[in-house]
Amino acid sequence: MELLGKSKEELRAFCVSIGEPAYRGEQIYHALYAERKFDLAQMTNLPLNLREKLAKEAAISLPMVKQRFVSTDGSVRYLFGLGESETKDRGDFNTELAEGTEKRKPLRAASVEAVFMPSEGRQTICISTQAGCAVDCQFCLTAQLGLIRNLTAGEILAQVLLPLEEHKERLAPQTNIVLMGQGEPLLNFDAVMAALRILLDPAAVRIAPKHATLSTSGIVPGIERLAEEKVRPKLAISLNASSDEQRNVLMPINKKYPLAKLLEACKKFPKGTREYITFEYVLLGGVNDTPEDARRVARMMSDLGRVKVNIIPWNPGALPFAEPTEASVKEFHRIMLEKGVPTFTRYSRGRDVMAACGQLALTQIETAPTAA
Ligand code: SF4
């Protein structure tokens, strides 16, 4: 039995199944997620004979850190190697969120990336939810891999637990997590929510829900499903276009979930006190960076309630898009503010290690000739 990724209830049931009291499951849950003990022998809150029994009945499988890239700004990009195993899968891109598609299927070996970014008073960890991605956004390197496979809850959790453990001597009081790495989180809904419930549990990893952000390309049924969750992260929408015409080209998923439907789902999404929805807008030189684009985006934001817009000037790199001029970035930002939309311009951190938005697949594209 693999323990990493299991909920408190699952660990309780497992302990009962091996003839132990259910509360032992809660002790494992605490040791694994609150104390980050990845070795059963180190779970000293359990009696020795139980630890010996667990060594025969259970395992904690962590992804291998294949490479670490350290940036001059202190960010660390991890390349994790994921093993092969078998898991429940609720279907692929074509059957996403469909009922009755649950089946067991083997997992392919894959690699994913996560980025640890320390800053004053906090650390932010950007994690992946799928290996590769089927969504095909034109400005994203991960799209070039195609979908390799969904990650399990344990594989998603490990991308937070391992960097936290590695930096435990220098951790700031606050940890933020952003689901903005490889993959579309809402197309791996069950595993993502299973991981988030553990990450956001005050008895487990203890990340405050207000410090967790899930970024989506706009999977409307997933946004509606997320809205029904009791404990959920904040929502971010990767917008990147000011009209359906433009977005259909940059993000073909827009043909399935056009802007009107997406904005309607955002309007209905429940927001706690002081909570807002973030719209990410990668500014591509000569593509979506005109004053008219800014005015259209501002109009879209006008009746959505509390929102903010992050402008992310494009990082020149492997894809054929141009960096916007400094003047167009400033003008875009100015118009948004003039229209009353809280707007921030963010230059991605970790640029020198390719940890910036949409660049988390570069290593694999360079090293995996079989990638699509
Ligand atoms: S931007 Fe996100 S959703 Fe779009 S292809 Fe890349 S990983 Fe997938």
Side-chain angles (χ1 to χ4, degrees), residues 133-137 139-140 142-143 181-184 217 238 251:
C133 184
V135 176
D136 202 22
C137 303
F139 49 84
C140 174
T142 303
Q182 275 185 35
E184 165 50 67
S217 58
S238 185
M251 303 179 72

Side-chain angles (χ1 to χ4, degrees), residues 307-321:
V307 295
K308 71 171 185 174
V309 172
N310 283 341
I311 300 169
I312 305 157
W314 174 252
N315 272 338
L319 292 171
F321 289 105

